Amino acid sequence: MTKTIKRHNIIILTKTIKCLGMKDVKHYYEDNSIIFKLEGRLHKKIILYNRNYKMHIKISHPEISMNKIEEILTNPDYVYKSSRKSSVLYYEKKFGEDIFRVVIGRHKKSVKVVITAYKVCGKDPFTIKHVHCLYDKQTYINYEDMQNQLEDDIDYFYDLFGVAK
């Protein structure tokens, strides 16, 4: 089922498609350009212009595919910035012996845009030392999980000591 909404020069397709080897991805058209809607680990609204993928990423960095971009954004090993004030973020993930990075920048207030994606060479300084790490898969704490665990602990305490809530 396709639902089309037209606002100004934007045509939004709410149909989910399989495109360029990716899993189901929502997309829309703006000024005759396809824009893919992606979701990242820390950012829920990330877009990728089809033009950027075909004209830059696919040509300059043929080792990275749309599937890898999507996987890096949803399950990164690290997310970091080069400095505290930087609006550019780096999502990074290791596949076997190779490390891949997706660079995203600010598009609008709550929307990020994929700038580029590439395989990291061993001499890249960000790989050795993450300057301002926002997410580390090994140490990340999900506060919702922590709250659920705390509630479970309270229930355990009540059960253990026979105290009514």
Side-chain angles (χ1 to χ4, degrees):
M1 183 176 122
T2 303
K3 182 178 177 184
T4 305
I5 303 168
K6 188 168 185 174
R7 291 187 196 133
H8 307 290
N9 291 334
I10 302 172
I11 299 173
I12 301 171
L13 286 179
T14 57
K15 180 181 177 185
T16 304
I17 63 162
K18 290 187 179 188
C19 187
L20 300 172
M22 290 178 73
K23 299 173 191 165
D24 293 334
V25 175
K26 289 187 177 184
H27 73 286
Y28 62 97
Y29 292 89
E30 182 177 313
D31 297 327
N32 296 324
S33 297
I34 298 175
I35 301 173
F36 297 101
K37 295 167 119 181
L38 304 168
E39 192 171 306
R41 178 72 177 174
L42 300 181
H43 303 91
K44 299 301 177 199
K45 295 179 183 177
I46 301 174
I47 61 171
L48 171 59
Y49 286 94
N50 187 43
R51 183 177 333 130
N52 183 28
Y53 178 73
K54 284 186 173 181
M55 303 303 284
H56 169 69
I57 297 171
K58 195 171 181 180
I59 293 170
S60 301
H61 314 287
E63 67 279 355
I64 195 151
S65 65
M66 289 286 272
N67 279 336
K68 278 190 183 163
I69 292 172
E70 187 177 33
E71 177 66 23
I72 293 165
L73 291 174
T74 55
N75 296 311
D77 294 335
Y78 300 100
V79 178
Y80 55 93
K81 298 179 178 186
S82 59
S83 71
R84 292 187 121 178
K85 294 183 180 182
S86 177
S87 62
V88 176
L89 292 113
Y90 303 88
Y91 277 69
E92 195 171 272
K93 183 165 182 71
K94 188 171 185 177
F95 291 95
E97 294 298 314
D98 299 323
I99 298 172
F100 292 90
R101 184 178 295 148
V102 176
V103 182
I104 63 172
R106 186 174 178 190
H107 179 65
K108 292 181 181 175
K109 187 176 181 178
S110 63
V111 179
K112 303 290 184 189
V113 63
V114 174
I115 298 169
T116 190
Y118 55 92
K119 181 179 171 183
V120 177
C121 67
K123 297 177 184 176
D124 195 326
F126 288 142
T127 305
I128 298 164
K129 181 180 178 187
H130 301 297
V131 178
H132 186 69
C133 192
L134 303 174
Y135 172 84
D136 182 343
K137 184 169 79 172
Q138 301 296 327
T139 61
Y140 183 71
I141 298 172
N142 186 338
Y143 289 102
E144 290 176 11
D145 291 344
M146 187 187 297
Q147 182 64 31
N148 291 339
Q149 180 65 35
L150 181 61
E151 288 172 7
D152 290 344
D153 288 347
I154 290 171
D155 291 339
Y156 174 74
F157 173 78
Y158 287 141
D159 291 340
L160 182 66
F161 294 102
V163 179
K165 291 184 183 180

